[in-house]
Structure formats: C-alpha cells, structure tokens
Amino acid sequence: MSERPWLVVGLGNPGPQYAGNRHNVGQMVLDELARRTGSTFGARAGGLLSRRPQAVVAEARLGTLPGGAPGPRVVLAKPTTYMNVSGGPVVALARYFDVPPEQVVMVHDELDIPFADVRLKIGGGEGGHNGLRDTTKALGTKDYVRVRVGVGRPPGRMEAADFVLHDFAKAELKDLPWLVDRAADAVEAVVGEGLEKAQLRFHTKA
C-alpha cells in the first residue's frame, strides 16, 4: 500500500486583482513550495472534483529525509474558487487522494498574529476566517493543521474585511519574502517532523 500524501492548501481569492492581497499570502507560500520542489501547478478535473477544475494542483516530494532520501509525498493545491467557498475543493481533493483530516494543512493569513510571525496548530476555532469556516464545514471536523501566517490587525477603524483585501503596505513588502519563506519552512517542518516538533521550532523566540 502506498503512503498517504499530505494535502497542503494555500487559501486565497482567484484572479490577478487579488494576487498581492494579504488574504492571498497562503497562495504565495504555495508558490514558494512549488518553486522549492520544482513542480508546476496544473488544473485537475475528474475523480471527485467537478467538471470545471476547482483547484490547481502539483504533486511532489517535500524536503529531504535523514540520509538524503526524498521527503514525504505532498499534494500542493490552490483553490480557484473564492475564499468563502474553499471547503468544496479541499474536501474533494482530500477524498480523491485519500488524505485524512490530520494530514490536511491549510496555509492562511491570520489577523490575530503580528505581521511576519508564523504559528502552527491543529483544531480550534476559525477566528472569523471564512475560508477556514467553510473548510471545517466541508470536512466535518476542525482537526486539520493550520499554518497561520501573521498579517496583523488593521489600523485605526479600518474594517478587517477591507484590510485583508488590500495589498501589503510598502513597509511590509521588504519583509514579505522572508515571511513567505518562513511559512514554507513551517510547512516542511510539519510534514517532515510532525506538528509538535515544528511548533517547538516556530513558537520559540530566537
């Protein structure tokens, strides 16, 4: 029997007008993981997915095991639906690739974490994040892994919904590549070392 892959999903909204938004940082991280693995996203239809592809997918090995062997199998996925209906593509891919919820990793923006911090957890609440809320509903469980990429709180009286649908500020852009790289490292750590060891690495201040 072949090993079950991990399903790593980067949340965001489709289309170039959203590509630089804070809400799309999860998809930026998936692009970095695809770059690291030398893989290319392609449309996948069929199986349990609808006739029109609901995600672009790349299959790869992520990281390197002790001794130099290729790391675990992963399915990298970016839904092509809007954020608030992310659950359909996620559950369809999980079923298609036979991935249990505890091996589903959602990479997403997080308002309750300062910009440039990365935090990891499994289960718990969605914190008002519509993409996570729809994923929980579709999977029927909260017990999936979240890689939470901090974007900070909106300034002044700015609404959270407006804040996440804006691009990163100029002052943030210089640190954005570092943040994306760190979040990609966190995904690799979860998949290769397990959540608890990854938390020790990424929740400990240097």
Side-chain angles (χ1 to χ4, degrees), residues 33-168:
L33 291 170
R35 186 198 65 78
R36 292 183 183 189
T37 59
S39 55
T40 302
F41 288 103
R44 174 176 290 276
L48 293 174
L49 299 184
S50 68
R51 291 182 180 179
R52 288 186 297 177
Q54 294 181 300
V56 288
V57 173
E59 297 180 58
R61 293 270 180 179
L62 188 58
T64 305
L65 298 175
R73 289 176 60 213
V74 292
V75 177
L76 307 175
K78 297 190 295 183
T80 54
T81 58
Y82 283 96
M83 175 75 82
N84 63 346
V85 287
S86 300
V90 173
V91 76
L93 287 165
R95 288 172 178 167
Y96 187 84
F97 288 99
D98 192 27
V99 179
E102 63 270 18
Q103 285 185 215
V104 174
V105 181
M106 305 296 292
V107 188
H108 64 91
D109 59 303
E110 178 60 68
L111 288 166
D112 292 329
I113 295 174
F115 172 73
D117 279 359
V118 176
R119 293 289 182 268
L120 312 169
K121 73 173 185 176
I122 189 168
E126 292 86 21
H129 196 292
N130 290 330
L132 295 180
R133 183 181 293 118
D134 198 61
T135 297
T136 294
K137 180 180 178 181
L139 287 174
T141 181
K142 296 175 181 285
D143 293 333
Y144 51 89
V145 180
R146 299 98 183 274
V147 173
R148 307 160 71 204
V149 185
V151 297
R153 301 296 304 180
R157 297 184 179 181
M158 187 178 189
E159 292 290 333
D162 292 332
F163 179 69
V164 296
L165 291 176
H166 276 74
D167 289 358
F168 286 94

